Amino acid sequence: MLDPNLLRTQPELVAAGLARRGFTLDLALLRHLDDRRKALQVELENLRNERNRLSKAVGMAKRSGEDALALQGEATAVSARIATVEEDQRAALAAWDTFVQTLPNLPDAEVPDGRDENDNVELRRWGEPRTFDFAVRDHVDIAEQLGMADFAAGARLAGSRFVVLKGFGARLERALIQFMLDVQTQEHGYLEIAPPYLANAASLFGTGQLPKFEEDLFALRDDPYYLIPTAEVPLTNLLRESIVETLPQRFCAYTPCFRREAGAAGRDTRGMIRQHQFDKVEIVQIVRPDASAAAHEELTAHAESILQRLELPYRVVALCAGDLGFSAAKTYDLEVWLPSQGMYREISSCSNFGSFQARRLQLRYRKDDGRPELAHTLNGSGLAVGRTLVALLENHQQADGSLRVPAALRPYLGGVEVIRGQ
């Protein structure tokens, strides 16, 4: 959530920042809501002062033996008016909160200008896309021919955008999860967490999924829970409404993730690129504001290391202002090469949220002078397991239909170097 003081004191600055995202701030409504709040606050303070004056006057009248009935009537009328104004004030504050909660984060000054993904800026590449001397197959054909996946069974069991992994498909997914967790915990210093896969509304509000993106969440029908769309939600909420004594804090978790993909109807309907249920290893950092920028670079490098060890060519892209997620101030996307599509596709987003999430979460730390201040939060996919499996299948396919297993994964598959048909 944006700083309310900034909204009140520098609304034009906020409007200019949001305009970079293609978001138009309704300055007239903002001022109206703030003026209404201030007017009610002034009226309430005046009424309370008047009530105090009348209360003292009633007491003095009674002590001196005078008739206090008229003064008591005035006091009663003022108290009634106070109750009305207090209700109006609650409504005004709720209207202000509702308005502010719809405002996205301000882009960092380093974020490039642009309207959509076409204006994103490539920063660097790692690895060279492989040249094949045979007809390239996509991951669906490879997985089915090797007996690793059954898309028809997934559709029968649940519907479209689901898959059943089996045999080496299931083993390879499990190996990827374990490999990713081992790298992040043993080498990069993240604390592994096994969180709930359900979250309450307060948790989803804290990380910015609610109220704006409720249509993309799976909600339980008769209970106040949602299936988590990413482990970012429980990991970042671990320290909600607390003052953290030691920073940085680093968490990682493997979880299944659940998304309606409401905004992606008709996109990537074939295969495992965009599913309603998918696995992901998430990495989260909570840091002091002065360490925020460096932490973003570090966290991104931690996600990159997984792709490098799996020998998957990728590029790093800085998202332009118009393509940023709702809560993000700055985002790097890692895009892995998919031979069947002849293009790079997103496999991880690494974002710095500044204090935006922390303000919603009331997540603070103590400065050197002991005063509490909002922390900064960051997160990234380290990585999306399904898309990593897709990239492995396509980049490491062989002419005879088999799949070469990258050296980094072999210890997690009992030393298997090549996967052949089952």
Side-chain angles (χ1 to χ4, degrees), residues 47-48 50-58 62 68-86:
L47 286 167
R48 286 169 176 166
E50 179 65 6
R51 181 176 61 183
N52 291 339
R53 185 190 69 79
L54 289 168
S55 178
K56 291 178 183 178
V58 168
K62 287 183 176 180
L69 193 59
L71 289 172
Q72 288 176 323
E74 288 184 54
T76 299
V78 169
S79 293
R81 177 59 184 162
I82 286 174
T84 299
V85 175
E86 284 177 336

PDB file of all heavy atoms in Angstrom, residues 47-48 50-58 62 68-86:
ATOM      1  N   LEU A  47     -16.578  19.269  18.568  1.00  0.00           N
ATOM      2  CA  LEU A  47     -17.713  18.753  19.324  1.00  0.00           C
ATOM      3  C   LEU A  47     -17.270  18.165  20.666  1.00  0.00           C
ATOM      4  O   LEU A  47     -17.952  18.344  21.696  1.00  0.00           O
ATOM      5  CB  LEU A  47     -18.455  17.695  18.503  1.00  0.00           C
ATOM      6  CG  LEU A  47     -19.305  18.219  17.336  1.00  0.00           C
ATOM      7  CD1 LEU A  47     -19.721  17.069  16.420  1.00  0.00           C
ATOM      8  CD2 LEU A  47     -20.546  18.950  17.870  1.00  0.00           C
ATOM      9  N   ARG A  48     -16.170  17.449  20.657  1.00  0.00           N
ATOM     10  CA  ARG A  48     -15.672  16.879  21.914  1.00  0.00           C
ATOM     11  C   ARG A  48     -15.246  17.977  22.893  1.00  0.00           C
ATOM     12  O   ARG A  48     -15.488  17.858  24.108  1.00  0.00           O
ATOM     13  CB  ARG A  48     -14.514  15.925  21.624  1.00  0.00           C
ATOM     14  CG  ARG A  48     -14.972  14.601  20.999  1.00  0.00           C
ATOM     15  CD  ARG A  48     -13.828  13.786  20.473  1.00  0.00           C
ATOM     16  NE  ARG A  48     -14.286  12.486  19.956  1.00  0.00           N
ATOM     17  CZ  ARG A  48     -13.535  11.690  19.200  1.00  0.00           C
ATOM     18  NH1 ARG A  48     -12.305  12.055  18.840  1.00  0.00           N
ATOM     19  NH2 ARG A  48     -14.018  10.535  18.794  1.00  0.00           N
ATOM     20  N   GLU A  50     -16.587  20.937  22.946  1.00  0.00           N
ATOM     21  CA  GLU A  50     -17.841  21.518  23.404  1.00  0.00           C
ATOM     22  C   GLU A  50     -18.494  20.642  24.468  1.00  0.00           C
ATOM     23  O   GLU A  50     -19.045  21.136  25.471  1.00  0.00           O
ATOM     24  CB  GLU A  50     -18.789  21.727  22.221  1.00  0.00           C
ATOM     25  CG  GLU A  50     -20.156  22.309  22.575  1.00  0.00           C
ATOM     26  CD  GLU A  50     -20.086  23.735  23.116  1.00  0.00           C
ATOM     27  OE1 GLU A  50     -18.986  24.350  23.130  1.00  0.00           O
ATOM     28  OE2 GLU A  50     -21.142  24.256  23.522  1.00  0.00           O
ATOM     29  N   ARG A  51     -18.446  19.338  24.259  1.00  0.00           N
ATOM     30  CA  ARG A  51     -19.012  18.426  25.263  1.00  0.00           C
ATOM     31  C   ARG A  51     -18.289  18.555  26.591  1.00  0.00           C
ATOM     32  O   ARG A  51     -18.919  18.553  27.657  1.00  0.00           O
ATOM     33  CB  ARG A  51     -18.941  16.987  24.760  1.00  0.00           C
ATOM     34  CG  ARG A  51     -19.535  15.968  25.732  1.00  0.00           C
ATOM     35  CD  ARG A  51     -19.537  14.576  25.144  1.00  0.00           C
ATOM     36  NE  ARG A  51     -18.175  14.122  24.845  1.00  0.00           N
ATOM     37  CZ  ARG A  51     -17.895  12.943  24.266  1.00  0.00           C
ATOM     38  NH1 ARG A  51     -18.892  12.139  23.919  1.00  0.00           N
ATOM     39  NH2 ARG A  51     -16.649  12.601  24.014  1.00  0.00           N
ATOM     40  N   ASN A  52     -16.959  18.667  26.514  1.00  0.00           N
ATOM     41  CA  ASN A  52     -16.189  18.843  27.756  1.00  0.00           C
ATOM     42  C   ASN A  52     -16.557  20.158  28.457  1.00  0.00           C
ATOM     43  O   ASN A  52     -16.694  20.209  29.682  1.00  0.00           O
ATOM     44  CB  ASN A  52     -14.686  18.820  27.454  1.00  0.00           C
ATOM     45  CG  ASN A  52     -14.200  17.443  27.033  1.00  0.00           C
ATOM     46  OD1 ASN A  52     -14.859  16.434  27.325  1.00  0.00           O
ATOM     47  ND2 ASN A  52     -13.075  17.384  26.347  1.00  0.00           N
ATOM     48  N   ARG A  53     -16.744  21.225  27.654  1.00  0.00           N
ATOM     49  CA  ARG A  53     -17.108  22.519  28.232  1.00  0.00           C
ATOM     50  C   ARG A  53     -18.471  22.441  28.919  1.00  0.00           C
ATOM     51  O   ARG A  53     -18.660  22.930  30.062  1.00  0.00           O
ATOM     52  CB  ARG A  53     -17.135  23.593  27.137  1.00  0.00           C
ATOM     53  CG  ARG A  53     -17.393  25.010  27.676  1.00  0.00           C
ATOM     54  CD  ARG A  53     -17.663  25.973  26.537  1.00  0.00           C
ATOM     55  NE  ARG A  53     -18.932  25.710  25.873  1.00  0.00           N
ATOM     56  CZ  ARG A  53     -20.118  26.092  26.375  1.00  0.00           C
ATOM     57  NH1 ARG A  53     -20.204  26.711  27.557  1.00  0.00           N
ATOM     58  NH2 ARG A  53     -21.222  25.834  25.704  1.00  0.00           N
ATOM     59  N   LEU A  54     -19.424  21.810  28.219  1.00  0.00           N
ATOM     60  CA  LEU A  54     -20.764  21.692  28.782  1.00  0.00           C
ATOM     61  C   LEU A  54     -20.773  20.812  30.031  1.00  0.00           C
ATOM     62  O   LEU A  54     -21.513  21.080  30.997  1.00  0.00           O
ATOM     63  CB  LEU A  54     -21.724  21.136  27.735  1.00  0.00           C
ATOM     64  CG  LEU A  54     -22.071  22.092  26.586  1.00  0.00           C
ATOM     65  CD1 LEU A  54     -22.787  21.344  25.464  1.00  0.00           C
ATOM     66  CD2 LEU A  54     -22.944  23.239  27.099  1.00  0.00           C
ATOM     67  N   SER A  55     -19.976  19.763  30.007  1.00  0.00           N
ATOM     68  CA  SER A  55     -19.906  18.880  31.168  1.00  0.00           C
ATOM     69  C   SER A  55     -19.404  19.627  32.397  1.00  0.00           C
ATOM     70  O   SER A  55     -19.959  19.474  33.506  1.00  0.00           O
ATOM     71  CB  SER A  55     -18.991  17.690  30.860  1.00  0.00           C
ATOM     72  OG  SER A  55     -18.881  16.844  31.989  1.00  0.00           O
ATOM     73  N   LYS A  56     -18.382  20.451  32.188  1.00  0.00           N
ATOM     74  CA  LYS A  56     -17.868  21.259  33.304  1.00  0.00           C
ATOM     75  C   LYS A  56     -18.915  22.275  33.765  1.00  0.00           C
ATOM     76  O   LYS A  56     -19.088  22.501  34.966  1.00  0.00           O
ATOM     77  CB  LYS A  56     -16.590  21.973  32.873  1.00  0.00           C
ATOM     78  CG  LYS A  56     -15.403  21.045  32.660  1.00  0.00           C
ATOM     79  CD  LYS A  56     -14.182  21.820  32.174  1.00  0.00           C
ATOM     80  CE  LYS A  56     -13.019  20.873  31.896  1.00  0.00           C
ATOM     81  NZ  LYS A  56     -11.831  21.602  31.376  1.00  0.00           N
ATOM     82  N   ALA A  57     -19.617  22.874  32.799  1.00  0.00           N
ATOM     83  CA  ALA A  57     -20.647  23.867  33.136  1.00  0.00           C
ATOM     84  C   ALA A  57     -21.779  23.244  33.931  1.00  0.00           C
ATOM     85  O   ALA A  57     -22.324  23.851  34.876  1.00  0.00           O
ATOM     86  CB  ALA A  57     -21.179  24.522  31.863  1.00  0.00           C
ATOM     87  N   VAL A  58     -22.166  22.022  33.538  1.00  0.00           N
ATOM     88  CA  VAL A  58     -23.220  21.319  34.279  1.00  0.00           C
ATOM     89  C   VAL A  58     -22.777  21.075  35.722  1.00  0.00           C
ATOM     90  O   VAL A  58     -23.538  21.281  36.683  1.00  0.00           O
ATOM     91  CB  VAL A  58     -23.582  19.993  33.581  1.00  0.00           C
ATOM     92  CG1 VAL A  58     -24.464  19.119  34.494  1.00  0.00           C
ATOM     93  CG2 VAL A  58     -24.308  20.257  32.271  1.00  0.00           C
ATOM     94  N   LYS A  62     -24.565  22.663  39.104  1.00  0.00           N
ATOM     95  CA  LYS A  62     -25.112  21.820  40.159  1.00  0.00           C
ATOM     96  C   LYS A  62     -24.478  22.155  41.506  1.00  0.00           C
ATOM     97  O   LYS A  62     -25.172  22.178  42.543  1.00  0.00           O
ATOM     98  CB  LYS A  62     -24.891  20.346  39.823  1.00  0.00           C
ATOM     99  CG  LYS A  62     -25.801  19.836  38.712  1.00  0.00           C
ATOM    100  CD  LYS A  62     -25.580  18.355  38.469  1.00  0.00           C
ATOM    101  CE  LYS A  62     -26.556  17.825  37.425  1.00  0.00           C
ATOM    102  NZ  LYS A  62     -26.359  16.378  37.179  1.00  0.00           N
ATOM    103  N   ALA A  68     -29.484  23.165  36.022  1.00  0.00           N
ATOM    104  CA  ALA A  68     -28.571  22.691  34.969  1.00  0.00           C
ATOM    105  C   ALA A  68     -29.311  21.983  33.846  1.00  0.00           C
ATOM    106  O   ALA A  68     -28.686  21.400  32.947  1.00  0.00           O
ATOM    107  CB  ALA A  68     -27.518  21.751  35.565  1.00  0.00           C
ATOM    108  N   LEU A  69     -30.632  22.002  33.834  1.00  0.00           N
ATOM    109  CA  LEU A  69     -31.411  21.230  32.861  1.00  0.00           C
ATOM    110  C   LEU A  69     -31.118  21.643  31.422  1.00  0.00           C
ATOM    111  O   LEU A  69     -30.950  20.794  30.532  1.00  0.00           O
ATOM    112  CB  LEU A  69     -32.897  21.397  33.164  1.00  0.00           C
ATOM    113  CG  LEU A  69     -33.843  20.419  32.438  1.00  0.00           C
ATOM    114  CD1 LEU A  69     -33.489  18.985  32.792  1.00  0.00           C
ATOM    115  CD2 LEU A  69     -35.298  20.728  32.767  1.00  0.00           C
ATOM    116  N   ALA A  70     -31.048  22.946  31.170  1.00  0.00           N
ATOM    117  CA  ALA A  70     -30.802  23.423  29.807  1.00  0.00           C
ATOM    118  C   ALA A  70     -29.414  22.992  29.332  1.00  0.00           C
ATOM    119  O   ALA A  70     -29.231  22.564  28.183  1.00  0.00           O
ATOM    120  CB  ALA A  70     -30.942  24.940  29.748  1.00  0.00           C
ATOM    121  N   LEU A  71     -28.438  23.124  30.235  1.00  0.00           N
ATOM    122  CA  LEU A  71     -27.073  22.718  29.882  1.00  0.00           C
ATOM    123  C   LEU A  71     -27.001  21.214  29.610  1.00  0.00           C
ATOM    124  O   LEU A  71     -26.313  20.762  28.678  1.00  0.00           O
ATOM    125  CB  LEU A  71     -26.110  23.084  31.010  1.00  0.00           C
ATOM    126  CG  LEU A  71     -25.829  24.586  31.193  1.00  0.00           C
ATOM    127  CD1 LEU A  71     -25.026  24.816  32.472  1.00  0.00           C
ATOM    128  CD2 LEU A  71     -25.055  25.123  29.978  1.00  0.00           C
ATOM    129  N   GLN A  72     -27.704  20.435  30.403  1.00  0.00           N
ATOM    130  CA  GLN A  72     -27.727  18.985  30.184  1.00  0.00           C
ATOM    131  C   GLN A  72     -28.362  18.650  28.833  1.00  0.00           C
ATOM    132  O   GLN A  72     -27.930  17.718  28.142  1.00  0.00           O
ATOM    133  CB  GLN A  72     -28.498  18.311  31.318  1.00  0.00           C
ATOM    134  CG  GLN A  72     -27.733  18.313  32.635  1.00  0.00           C
ATOM    135  CD  GLN A  72     -28.560  17.736  33.775  1.00  0.00           C
ATOM    136  OE1 GLN A  72     -29.782  17.950  33.837  1.00  0.00           O
ATOM    137  NE2 GLN A  72     -27.905  17.025  34.674  1.00  0.00           N
ATOM    138  N   GLY A  73     -29.394  19.387  28.467  1.00  0.00           N
ATOM    139  CA  GLY A  73     -30.013  19.174  27.156  1.00  0.00           C
ATOM    140  C   GLY A  73     -29.048  19.458  26.028  1.00  0.00           C
ATOM    141  O   GLY A  73     -28.988  18.719  25.034  1.00  0.00           O
ATOM    142  N   GLU A  74     -28.297  20.564  26.187  1.00  0.00           N
ATOM    143  CA  GLU A  74     -27.276  20.872  25.174  1.00  0.00           C
ATOM    144  C   GLU A  74     -26.232  19.763  25.089  1.00  0.00           C
ATOM    145  O   GLU A  74     -25.813  19.351  23.993  1.00  0.00           O
ATOM    146  CB  GLU A  74     -26.594  22.197  25.508  1.00  0.00           C
ATOM    147  CG  GLU A  74     -27.439  23.435  25.289  1.00  0.00           C
ATOM    148  CD  GLU A  74     -26.647  24.696  25.550  1.00  0.00           C
ATOM    149  OE1 GLU A  74     -25.564  24.834  24.938  1.00  0.00           O
ATOM    150  OE2 GLU A  74     -27.097  25.518  26.377  1.00  0.00           O
ATOM    151  N   ALA A  75     -25.778  19.300  26.258  1.00  0.00           N
ATOM    152  CA  ALA A  75     -24.760  18.238  26.286  1.00  0.00           C
ATOM    153  C   ALA A  75     -25.263  16.968  25.617  1.00  0.00           C
ATOM    154  O   ALA A  75     -24.532  16.286  24.881  1.00  0.00           O
ATOM    155  CB  ALA A  75     -24.348  17.959  27.730  1.00  0.00           C
ATOM    156  N   THR A  76     -26.537  16.645  25.867  1.00  0.00           N
ATOM    157  CA  THR A  76     -27.122  15.448  25.236  1.00  0.00           C
ATOM    158  C   THR A  76     -27.164  15.596  23.719  1.00  0.00           C
ATOM    159  O   THR A  76     -26.859  14.650  22.969  1.00  0.00           O
ATOM    160  CB  THR A  76     -28.543  15.211  25.780  1.00  0.00           C
ATOM    161  OG1 THR A  76     -28.477  15.003  27.190  1.00  0.00           O
ATOM    162  CG2 THR A  76     -29.182  14.006  25.114  1.00  0.00           C
ATOM    163  N   ALA A  77     -27.526  16.779  23.246  1.00  0.00           N
ATOM    164  CA  ALA A  77     -27.580  17.020  21.798  1.00  0.00           C
ATOM    165  C   ALA A  77     -26.193  16.925  21.177  1.00  0.00           C
ATOM    166  O   ALA A  77     -26.021  16.363  20.078  1.00  0.00           O
ATOM    167  CB  ALA A  77     -28.194  18.389  21.534  1.00  0.00           C
ATOM    168  N   VAL A  78     -25.198  17.467  21.889  1.00  0.00           N
ATOM    169  CA  VAL A  78     -23.819  17.403  21.373  1.00  0.00           C
ATOM    170  C   VAL A  78     -23.339  15.958  21.332  1.00  0.00           C
ATOM    171  O   VAL A  78     -22.698  15.529  20.364  1.00  0.00           O
ATOM    172  CB  VAL A  78     -22.882  18.279  22.230  1.00  0.00           C
ATOM    173  CG1 VAL A  78     -21.423  17.999  21.867  1.00  0.00           C
ATOM    174  CG2 VAL A  78     -23.196  19.755  22.037  1.00  0.00           C
ATOM    175  N   SER A  79     -23.656  15.176  22.370  1.00  0.00           N
ATOM    176  CA  SER A  79     -23.249  13.764  22.386  1.00  0.00           C
ATOM    177  C   SER A  79     -23.875  12.998  21.232  1.00  0.00           C
ATOM    178  O   SER A  79     -23.238  12.136  20.610  1.00  0.00           O
ATOM    179  CB  SER A  79     -23.634  13.121  23.724  1.00  0.00           C
ATOM    180  OG  SER A  79     -22.884  13.681  24.778  1.00  0.00           O
ATOM    181  N   ALA A  80     -25.132  13.319  20.944  1.00  0.00           N
ATOM    182  CA  ALA A  80     -25.807  12.657  19.818  1.00  0.00           C
ATOM    183  C   ALA A  80     -25.133  13.025  18.503  1.00  0.00           C
ATOM    184  O   ALA A  80     -24.965  12.170  17.614  1.00  0.00           O
ATOM    185  CB  ALA A  80     -27.281  13.042  19.804  1.00  0.00           C
ATOM    186  N   ARG A  81     -24.776  14.307  18.381  1.00  0.00           N
ATOM    187  CA  ARG A  81     -24.094  14.742  17.173  1.00  0.00           C
ATOM    188  C   ARG A  81     -22.720  14.072  17.041  1.00  0.00           C
ATOM    189  O   ARG A  81     -22.309  13.686  15.948  1.00  0.00           O
ATOM    190  CB  ARG A  81     -23.939  16.267  17.176  1.00  0.00           C
ATOM    191  CG  ARG A  81     -23.174  16.836  15.987  1.00  0.00           C
ATOM    192  CD  ARG A  81     -23.831  16.483  14.677  1.00  0.00           C
ATOM    193  NE  ARG A  81     -23.038  16.956  13.536  1.00  0.00           N
ATOM    194  CZ  ARG A  81     -23.182  16.510  12.284  1.00  0.00           C
ATOM    195  NH1 ARG A  81     -24.107  15.583  12.013  1.00  0.00           N
ATOM    196  NH2 ARG A  81     -22.438  16.982  11.311  1.00  0.00           N
ATOM    197  N   ILE A  82     -22.030  13.908  18.160  1.00  0.00           N
ATOM    198  CA  ILE A  82     -20.731  13.234  18.147  1.00  0.00           C
ATOM    199  C   ILE A  82     -20.878  11.808  17.615  1.00  0.00           C
ATOM    200  O   ILE A  82     -20.077  11.344  16.789  1.00  0.00           O
ATOM    201  CB  ILE A  82     -20.106  13.235  19.559  1.00  0.00           C
ATOM    202  CG1 ILE A  82     -19.589  14.639  19.905  1.00  0.00           C
ATOM    203  CG2 ILE A  82     -18.962  12.218  19.646  1.00  0.00           C
ATOM    204  CD1 ILE A  82     -19.078  14.767  21.327  1.00  0.00           C
ATOM    205  N   ALA A  83     -21.898  11.107  18.085  1.00  0.00           N
ATOM    206  CA  ALA A  83     -22.116   9.725  17.625  1.00  0.00           C
ATOM    207  C   ALA A  83     -22.346   9.691  16.110  1.00  0.00           C
ATOM    208  O   ALA A  83     -21.831   8.812  15.406  1.00  0.00           O
ATOM    209  CB  ALA A  83     -23.301   9.122  18.358  1.00  0.00           C
ATOM    210  N   THR A  84     -23.100  10.663  15.599  1.00  0.00           N
ATOM    211  CA  THR A  84     -23.353  10.727  14.155  1.00  0.00           C
ATOM    212  C   THR A  84     -22.074  11.002  13.381  1.00  0.00           C
ATOM    213  O   THR A  84     -21.790  10.359  12.357  1.00  0.00           O
ATOM    214  CB  THR A  84     -24.394  11.813  13.844  1.00  0.00           C
ATOM    215  OG1 THR A  84     -25.620  11.495  14.497  1.00  0.00           O
ATOM    216  CG2 THR A  84     -24.634  11.933  12.348  1.00  0.00           C
ATOM    217  N   VAL A  85     -21.291  11.970  13.883  1.00  0.00           N
ATOM    218  CA  VAL A  85     -20.053  12.339  13.180  1.00  0.00           C
ATOM    219  C   VAL A  85     -19.039  11.203  13.252  1.00  0.00           C
ATOM    220  O   VAL A  85     -18.297  10.961  12.294  1.00  0.00           O
ATOM    221  CB  VAL A  85     -19.471  13.646  13.767  1.00  0.00           C
ATOM    222  CG1 VAL A  85     -18.120  13.973  13.140  1.00  0.00           C
ATOM    223  CG2 VAL A  85     -20.443  14.793  13.537  1.00  0.00           C
ATOM    224  N   GLU A  86     -19.000  10.503  14.383  1.00  0.00           N
ATOM    225  CA  GLU A  86     -18.087   9.353  14.484  1.00  0.00           C
ATOM    226  C   GLU A  86     -18.439   8.286  13.455  1.00  0.00           C
ATOM    227  O   GLU A  86     -17.550   7.682  12.843  1.00  0.00           O
ATOM    228  CB  GLU A  86     -18.142   8.773  15.893  1.00  0.00           C
ATOM    229  CG  GLU A  86     -17.397   9.601  16.925  1.00  0.00           C
ATOM    230  CD  GLU A  86     -17.520   9.040  18.328  1.00  0.00           C
ATOM    231  OE1 GLU A  86     -18.510   8.305  18.599  1.00  0.00           O
ATOM    232  OE2 GLU A  86     -16.654   9.333  19.162  1.00  0.00           O
TER     233      GLU A  86
END
